[in-house]
Amino acid sequence: MKQLWLSSNTMSVVDPSFFHSPLVKFAPDFYGNEQHDAQELLAFLLDGIHEDLNRVQNKPNVEDVVGDGTNNEGLAVLAWQNYLTRDRSIVV
């Protein structure tokens, strides 16, 4: 990674397999030469950071909030509270 960011030559070339090989160990979905979206990679990385920083150790089961469209604001608050009972990190 240092080679990517600290190279003094702005025109240098970096072999992508240097980054790809370690990534595949943690995310087999990225195996092979198929083209993957940058959004997929970013979502994977952010989810990993979120899980590592999640302060909830024992995740209780919560029921999905289902509404009929009459109290959307109240249901949104309830859904957010349910989310926070299972997932509480600085990456939300």
Side-chain angles (χ1 to χ4, degrees):
M1 289 307 264
K2 285 182 181 181
Q3 182 184 4
L4 289 172
W5 300 107
L6 300 178
S7 176
S8 60
N9 182 1
T10 58
M11 300 300 285
S12 65
V13 176
V14 178
D15 181 8
S17 63
F18 180 73
F19 178 76
H20 184 255
S21 296
L23 173 66
V24 170
K25 290 180 184 177
F26 295 100
D29 291 345
F30 291 99
Y31 181 78
N33 294 324
E34 296 178 27
Q35 182 170 344
H36 291 280
D37 195 301
Q39 184 273 336
E40 291 178 68
L41 176 62
L42 183 59
F44 169 77
L45 294 173
L46 285 174
D47 185 56
I49 292 169
H50 168 69
E51 286 299 321
D52 286 349
L53 298 177
N54 193 359
R55 293 175 284 212
V56 177
Q57 299 297 318
N58 297 319
K59 296 182 178 187
N61 290 330
V62 293
E63 291 187 29
D64 288 338
V65 177
V66 179
D68 58 6
T70 59
N71 185 16
N72 288 338
E73 188 174 327
L75 291 174
V77 170
L78 181 59
W80 182 246
Q81 289 171 344
N82 285 352
Y83 176 83
L84 292 177
T85 61
R86 295 180 51 84
D87 296 291
R88 190 176 283 273
S89 76
I90 62 171
V91 180
V92 176

